[in-house]
Short mmCIF file of all heavy atoms in Angstrom, two decimals:
data_model
loop_
_atom_site.label_atom_id
_atom_site.label_comp_id
_atom_site.label_asym_id
_atom_site.label_seq_id
_atom_site.Cartn_x
_atom_site.Cartn_y
_atom_site.Cartn_z
N ILE A 236 82.98 108.24 119.08
CA ILE A 236 83.59 109.56 119.01
C ILE A 236 83.16 110.41 120.20
O ILE A 236 83.96 111.15 120.77
CB ILE A 236 83.25 110.24 117.68
CG1 ILE A 236 83.92 109.46 116.53
CG2 ILE A 236 83.71 111.70 117.67
CD1 ILE A 236 83.64 110.00 115.15
N GLY A 237 81.91 110.33 120.57
CA GLY A 237 81.45 111.02 121.77
C GLY A 237 81.37 112.52 121.65
O GLY A 237 81.40 113.23 122.66
N MET A 238 81.25 113.03 120.45
CA MET A 238 81.10 114.47 120.21
C MET A 238 80.16 114.69 119.04
O MET A 238 80.00 113.82 118.18
CB MET A 238 82.46 115.11 119.90
CG MET A 238 83.41 115.20 121.07
SD MET A 238 85.01 115.92 120.59
CE MET A 238 85.74 114.55 119.70
N GLY A 239 79.58 115.86 119.00
CA GLY A 239 78.85 116.28 117.82
C GLY A 239 79.80 116.82 116.77
O GLY A 239 80.97 117.10 117.05
N LEU A 240 79.28 117.02 115.57
CA LEU A 240 80.12 117.46 114.45
C LEU A 240 79.44 118.59 113.69
O LEU A 240 78.23 118.55 113.44
CB LEU A 240 80.35 116.28 113.49
CG LEU A 240 80.96 116.60 112.12
CD1 LEU A 240 82.44 116.95 112.28
CD2 LEU A 240 80.80 115.44 111.16
N LEU A 241 80.22 119.59 113.34
CA LEU A 241 79.81 120.58 112.34
C LEU A 241 80.86 120.56 111.24
O LEU A 241 82.04 120.83 111.50
CB LEU A 241 79.70 121.98 112.95
CG LEU A 241 78.50 122.21 113.87
CD1 LEU A 241 78.61 123.57 114.54
CD2 LEU A 241 77.19 122.11 113.10
N ARG A 242 80.43 120.23 110.05
CA ARG A 242 81.35 120.13 108.92
C ARG A 242 80.92 121.12 107.85
O ARG A 242 79.76 121.15 107.42
CB ARG A 242 81.31 118.71 108.34
CG ARG A 242 82.23 118.52 107.15
CD ARG A 242 81.97 117.16 106.48
NE ARG A 242 81.65 117.33 105.07
CZ ARG A 242 81.14 116.38 104.29
NH1 ARG A 242 80.85 115.21 104.79
NH2 ARG A 242 80.88 116.63 103.02
N ALA A 243 81.86 121.94 107.42
CA ALA A 243 81.56 122.92 106.38
C ALA A 243 81.50 122.23 105.02
O ALA A 243 82.47 121.58 104.61
CB ALA A 243 82.62 124.01 106.36
N ILE A 244 80.38 122.38 104.35
CA ILE A 244 80.25 121.90 102.97
C ILE A 244 80.70 122.98 102.01
O ILE A 244 81.48 122.74 101.09
CB ILE A 244 78.79 121.52 102.66
CG1 ILE A 244 78.33 120.38 103.57
CG2 ILE A 244 78.65 121.11 101.19
CD1 ILE A 244 76.85 120.08 103.43
N ARG A 245 80.20 124.20 102.28
CA ARG A 245 80.56 125.36 101.46
C ARG A 245 80.87 126.50 102.42
O ARG A 245 80.00 126.92 103.19
CB ARG A 245 79.40 125.73 100.54
CG ARG A 245 79.70 126.88 99.60
CD ARG A 245 78.49 127.15 98.71
NE ARG A 245 77.32 127.53 99.48
CZ ARG A 245 76.09 127.07 99.26
NH1 ARG A 245 75.87 126.21 98.29
NH2 ARG A 245 75.07 127.46 100.02
N PRO A 246 82.11 126.97 102.42
CA PRO A 246 82.46 128.03 103.39
C PRO A 246 81.65 129.29 103.11
O PRO A 246 81.63 129.76 101.99
CB PRO A 246 83.94 128.29 103.09
CG PRO A 246 84.41 127.07 102.37
CD PRO A 246 83.24 126.59 101.58
N TRP A 247 80.99 129.85 104.11
CA TRP A 247 80.74 129.28 105.43
C TRP A 247 79.25 129.31 105.68
O TRP A 247 78.79 129.71 106.74
CB TRP A 247 81.49 130.06 106.50
CG TRP A 247 82.96 130.12 106.26
CD1 TRP A 247 83.68 131.20 105.84
CD2 TRP A 247 83.89 129.05 106.39
NE1 TRP A 247 85.02 130.86 105.69
CE2 TRP A 247 85.16 129.54 106.03
CE3 TRP A 247 83.81 127.70 106.76
CZ2 TRP A 247 86.31 128.75 106.04
CZ3 TRP A 247 84.95 126.93 106.77
CH2 TRP A 247 86.18 127.45 106.43
N ASP A 248 78.48 128.90 104.64
CA ASP A 248 77.03 129.03 104.75
C ASP A 248 76.27 127.73 104.52
O ASP A 248 75.04 127.71 104.57
CB ASP A 248 76.51 130.10 103.79
CG ASP A 248 76.83 129.80 102.33
OD1 ASP A 248 77.45 128.76 102.05
OD2 ASP A 248 76.45 130.61 101.46
N GLN A 249 76.98 126.63 104.26
CA GLN A 249 76.29 125.34 104.16
C GLN A 249 77.08 124.32 104.97
O GLN A 249 78.31 124.22 104.85
CB GLN A 249 76.16 124.89 102.70
CG GLN A 249 75.25 123.67 102.54
CD GLN A 249 74.92 123.39 101.09
OE1 GLN A 249 75.80 123.10 100.31
NE2 GLN A 249 73.63 123.46 100.75
N TRP A 250 76.35 123.53 105.77
CA TRP A 250 76.99 122.71 106.79
C TRP A 250 76.32 121.35 106.93
O TRP A 250 75.18 121.16 106.50
CB TRP A 250 76.90 123.42 108.16
CG TRP A 250 77.59 124.74 108.19
CD1 TRP A 250 77.12 125.94 107.72
CD2 TRP A 250 78.90 125.00 108.71
NE1 TRP A 250 78.06 126.93 107.92
CE2 TRP A 250 79.16 126.38 108.53
CE3 TRP A 250 79.87 124.21 109.32
CZ2 TRP A 250 80.35 126.98 108.93
CZ3 TRP A 250 81.06 124.80 109.73
CH2 TRP A 250 81.29 126.16 109.53
N ILE A 251 77.04 120.45 107.56
CA ILE A 251 76.46 119.20 108.05
C ILE A 251 76.57 119.22 109.57
O ILE A 251 77.64 119.52 110.13
CB ILE A 251 77.20 117.97 107.50
CG1 ILE A 251 76.85 117.75 106.03
CG2 ILE A 251 76.83 116.71 108.29
CD1 ILE A 251 77.60 116.60 105.39
N ALA A 252 75.49 118.90 110.23
CA ALA A 252 75.51 118.63 111.66
C ALA A 252 75.37 117.12 111.84
O ALA A 252 74.51 116.49 111.22
CB ALA A 252 74.36 119.35 112.36
N GLY A 253 76.23 116.55 112.68
CA GLY A 253 76.21 115.10 112.87
C GLY A 253 76.36 114.73 114.33
O GLY A 253 77.00 115.43 115.10
#
Side-chain angles (χ1 to χ4, degrees):
I236 294 178
M238 289 178 286
L240 168 73
L241 287 173
R242 179 189 124 194
I244 299 173
R245 183 179 61 223
W247 303 107
D248 60 359
Q249 190 169 63
W250 298 80
I251 286 177

